[in-house]
């Protein structure tokens, strides 16, 4: 591999590596706006300029690649890069001054404040001065449909958003219009971003506060939010996300890109908008038996006295939950999987599975059989199974599957449902226990590609609400009097 020197530090890199990435490997973060690993390079913002020995002008590190070494000297130093020279500092300060020419000083009301690249780079690399004596260009904010709002005054014309709609989501709703100081990012006439099921990503991509989410706009200052690594429950991909929360409420979900995994940069709007269902309102529901509040001990006794137990685990919960739940089954063949949600595949490159069941693989590995509920129904009808424990989330099951589950619960002498909130199906069970939502516990899943993905607890569950693992341990416990 060829060697390059960055500020006199030598390192071996693969030919073709971007200088910007090579700098990152030695801990030097090159400031950048238009560059994004998942988008085509355009080198328009000029913020990533570096000095390269032997080149007469500064070069954009987001488009300059490391050349191959000569064949007769594979270890040769092929490039010497400097990121800390006066020329680089001068260029960065100049670029910042240009980018801020028309930018308003509305940080106190801007949603991006606290995670804004203009703020950060201005602080680190800006000159602190502006020679702009003219009146700044002014636009009113515009709705780009119901999901996205654009404030063009803040735009620095990096075109990340435009490239996203052309290269990733494909709708091409956004474009750059006019020239010079009138340059603006806008939609083609009559188009909005409402039809784009991945529209929310433009908000994450915008390095300044020009594109904002209607949902999050003016709701929270980001420095109050705590970010917890989690995954999306939307599909079997288990996309990595951040749960941004405060006051035991989730305020935002965002993608959590993994290194060298381009598919983890973007999530669908449905995934992004899933958070309200994990925010609890009012008191947590209580354990119940035959429609009346009951103690967990009474439920355990009823289950243990019922006879052969089958478990139905919906594959939308974690592997620890699956393991513990599976142990409640009287025999290993009485572990059944449920959940038959599918998702529409809009971007095949990013959605490599249409399976809407997050942890189907993890449950299968723990002995749960999916698509076998009719078999269980037969066993219940023949009285080979006398009790059923159902782990369920109504959002991931079809009407048809719900019908089979309802029939199983109706015919089983004793049934127990474990749910976050009682559904119609859960209410039909003889007993019901409140479980923590996935945002209220830590566990892991095995996604469609066989990758282990962990998620961490973000919210505190209410008193009396426990994880599936905790309930399952209790339900399996031998009573003290036995
Ligand atoms: S709106 Fe944001 S992402 Fe789009 S060009 Fe302007 S600054 Fe870049
Ligand atoms: S990041 Fe390199 S020119 Fe914009």
């Amino acid at each position: 591999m060829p060697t390059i020197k960055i500020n006199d530090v030598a390192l071996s890199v693969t030919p073709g590596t971007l200088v910007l990435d090579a700098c990152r490997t030695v801990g030097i973060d090159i400031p950048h706006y238009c560059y994004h690993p998942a988008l085509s390079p355009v080198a328009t913002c000029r913020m990533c300029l570096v000095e390269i020995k032997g080149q007469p002008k500064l070069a954009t590190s987001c488009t300059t690649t490391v050349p191959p070494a000569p064949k007769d000297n594979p270890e040769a130093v092929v490039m010497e890069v400097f990121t800390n020279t006066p020329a680089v500092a001068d260029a960065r300060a100049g670029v910042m001054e240009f980018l801020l020419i028309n930018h308003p000083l509305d940080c106190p009301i801007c949603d991006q404040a606290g995670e804004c690249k203009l703020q950060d780079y201005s602080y680190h690399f800006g000159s602190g001065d502006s020679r702009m004596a003219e009146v700044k260009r002014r636009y009113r904010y515009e709705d780009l449909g119901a999901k996205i709002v654009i404030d063009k005054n803040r735009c620095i014309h990096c075109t990340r958003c435009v490239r996203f709609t052309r290269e990733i989501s494909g709708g091409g709703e956004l474009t750059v219009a006019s020239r010079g100081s009138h340059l603006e990012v806008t939609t083609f006439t009559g188009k909005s971003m409402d039809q784009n099921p991945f529209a929310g990503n433009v908000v994450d991509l915008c390095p300044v506060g020009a594109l904002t989410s209607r949902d999050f706009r003016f709701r929270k200052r980001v420095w109050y939010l705590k970010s917890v690594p989690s995954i999306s429950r939307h599909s079997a991909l288990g996309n990595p996300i951040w749960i941004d929360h405060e006051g035991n409420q989730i305020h935002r979900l965002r993608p959590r890109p993994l290194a060298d995994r381009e598919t983890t940069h973007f999530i669908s709007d449905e995934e992004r908008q899933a958070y309200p269902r994990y925010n609890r309102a009012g008191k947590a529901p209580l354990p119940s038996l035959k429609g009346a509040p009951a103690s967990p001990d009474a439920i355990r006794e009823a289950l243990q006295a019922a006879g052969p137990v089958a478990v139905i685990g919906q594959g939308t919960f974690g592997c620890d939950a699956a393991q513990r739940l599976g142990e409640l089954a009287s025999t290993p063949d009485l572990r059944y999987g449920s959940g038959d949600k599918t998702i529409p595949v809009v971007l095949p490159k990013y959605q490599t599975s249409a399976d809407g069941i997050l942890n189907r693989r993890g449950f299968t590995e723990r002995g749960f059989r999916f698509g076998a509920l009719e078999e269980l129904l037969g066993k219940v009808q023949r009285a080979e199974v006398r009790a059923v424990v159902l782990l369920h989330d109504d959002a991931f099951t079809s009407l048809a599957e719900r019908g089979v589950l309802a029939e199983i619960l109706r015919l089983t002498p004793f049934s127990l449902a474990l749910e976050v909130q009682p559904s119609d199906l859960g209410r039909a069970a003889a007993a019901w226990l409140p479980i923590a939502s996935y945002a209220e516990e830590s566990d892991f899943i095995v996604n469609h590609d066989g990758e282990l993905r962990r998620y961490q607890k973000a919210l505190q569950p209410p008193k009396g609400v426990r994880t599936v693992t905790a309930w399952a341990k209790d339900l399996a416990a031998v009573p003290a009097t036995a």
Side-chain angles (χ1 to χ4, degrees):
M1 282 205 285
T3 302
I4 70 166
K5 280 188 175 177
I6 299 171
N7 299 342
D8 292 327
V9 175
L11 78 154
S12 298
V13 288
T14 320
T17 305
L18 282 181
V19 170
L20 185 140
D21 287 334
C23 290
R24 229 179 241 160
T25 60
V26 289
I28 298 170
D29 241 340
I30 303 287
H32 59 276
Y33 290 111
C34 66
Y35 168 76
H36 188 280
L39 301 173
S40 62
V42 286
T44 53
C45 75
R46 320 306 285 180
M47 193 61 200
C48 67
L49 291 170
V50 293
E51 203 171 323
I52 297 177
K53 192 173 177 185
Q55 294 195 7
K57 292 198 292 185
L58 299 180
T60 50
S61 60
C62 69
T63 50
T64 306
T65 52
V66 176
K71 280 204 175 79
D72 56 346
N73 185 4
E75 306 286 306
V77 175
V78 291
M79 193 181 250
E80 283 189 58
V81 178
F82 299 95
T83 66
N84 54 4
T85 61
V88 172
D90 199 36
R92 288 173 181 173
V95 169
M96 283 309 303
E97 190 179 345
F98 267 121
L99 291 178
L100 291 170
I101 274 179
N102 278 303
H103 195 83
L105 258 182
D106 62 353
C107 304
I109 57 145
C110 178
D111 286 303
Q112 193 84 3
E115 52 188 14
C116 174
K117 290 292 177 202
L118 270 181
Q119 283 181 335
D120 294 349
Y121 294 161
S122 176
Y123 179 76
H124 288 293
F125 311 113
S127 69
D129 287 326
S130 173
R131 284 164 281 180
M132 174 78 169
E134 290 74 18
V135 176
K136 289 185 188 243
R137 182 199 56 193
R138 276 279 160 267
Y139 297 99
R140 281 188 65 78
Y141 75 86
E142 282 174 32
D143 288 321
L144 303 181
K147 298 192 271 191
I148 309 293
V149 181
I150 187 166
D151 189 329
K152 296 176 188 171
N153 297 323
R154 298 175 186 159
C155 175
I156 58 162
H157 309 129
C158 71
T159 72
R160 278 183 178 194
C161 56
V162 176
R163 281 175 284 149
F164 173 80
T165 61
R166 289 183 188 169
E167 298 167 10
I168 309 287
S169 66
E173 297 93 339
L174 295 174
T175 187
V176 177
S178 301
R179 287 289 176 268
S181 65
H182 297 290
L183 196 75
E184 60 179 293
V185 166
T186 184
T187 50
F188 284 102
T189 315
K191 277 206 171 188
S192 86
M193 297 204 71
D194 285 352
Q195 274 69 50
N196 188 331
F198 284 77
N201 293 292
V202 297
V203 178
D204 303 328
L205 285 169
C206 185
V208 300
L211 288 163
T212 55
S213 149
R214 166 66 68 200
D215 175 59
F216 186 70
R217 200 170 152 84
F218 303 138
R219 292 275 161 84
K220 262 291 159 215
R221 306 297 355 212
V222 297
W223 49 86
Y224 292 128
L225 297 174
K226 290 177 201 69
S227 300
V228 171
S230 188
I231 50 170
S232 158
R233 284 182 89 211
H234 177 72
S235 74
L237 301 173
N239 282 325
I241 58 167
W242 290 110
I243 291 184
D244 289 343
H245 69 98
E246 198 250 341
N248 216 34
Q249 297 279 301
I250 302 175
H251 294 278
R252 185 173 68 166
L253 301 180
R254 318 174 269 134
R256 178 169 56 89
L258 302 178
D260 301 327
R261 296 296 302 274
E262 196 189 311
T263 54
T264 58
H265 283 285
F266 308 113
I267 56 172
S268 70
D269 292 345
E270 201 181 327
E271 291 172 279
R272 200 179 287 273
Q273 293 304 323
Y275 71 88
R277 59 190 298 260
Y278 300 107
N279 287 336
R280 291 184 188 263
K283 283 190 176 167
L286 297 169
S288 66
L289 182 62
K290 295 185 183 146
S295 71
D297 286 348
I299 294 173
R300 183 189 60 215
E301 280 161 26
L303 176 69
Q304 292 186 351
V309 180
V311 295
I312 308 174
Q314 194 184 59
T316 55
F317 295 83
C319 288
D320 285 344
Q323 182 68 35
R324 284 290 180 183
L325 183 76
E327 287 164 12
L328 292 178
S330 296
T331 54
D333 65 318
L334 291 179
R335 294 173 191 165
Y336 294 88
S338 74
D340 56 359
K341 183 190 158 203
T342 54
I343 55 161
V345 176
V346 184
L347 304 177
K349 186 176 165 197
Y350 291 87
Q351 300 170 286
T352 50
S353 165
D355 190 355
I357 298 305
L358 176 67
N359 195 18
R360 190 184 294 275
R361 231 173 135 147
F363 270 69
T364 305
E365 286 171 5
R366 282 156 187 81
F368 286 77
R369 288 178 293 130
F370 286 82
L373 290 177
E374 292 289 349
E375 177 196 296
L376 174 60
L377 181 58
K379 287 189 177 178
V380 169
Q381 283 164 340
R382 293 190 297 276
E384 292 164 26
V385 167
R386 305 285 297 165
V388 163
V389 180
L390 171 72
L391 175 60
H392 182 65
D393 185 339
D394 223 32
F396 295 88
T397 201
S398 70
L399 263 182
E401 189 182 72
R402 217 173 286 150
V404 181
L405 290 171
E407 191 62 2
I408 290 171
L409 295 189
R410 192 178 70 78
L411 295 176
T412 316
F414 179 79
S415 53
L416 163 64
L418 299 158
E419 289 182 318
V420 176
Q421 294 290 347
S423 67
D424 287 346
L425 192 69
R427 283 191 203 98
W432 189 90
L433 285 173
I435 55 167
S437 76
Y438 98 111
E440 295 166 342
E441 64 172 8
S442 301
D443 205 336
F444 67 98
I445 62 130
V446 182
N447 80 355
H448 162 74
D449 298 320
E451 291 171 18
L452 189 146
R453 297 250 160 111
R454 292 184 189 283
Y455 55 94
Q456 285 182 21
K457 179 174 170 176
L459 307 180
Q460 197 58 35
K463 203 163 168 244
V465 171
R466 307 180 68 193
T467 60
V468 176
T469 16
W471 280 131
K473 251 197 251 177
D474 269 14
L475 291 168
V478 179
T481 52

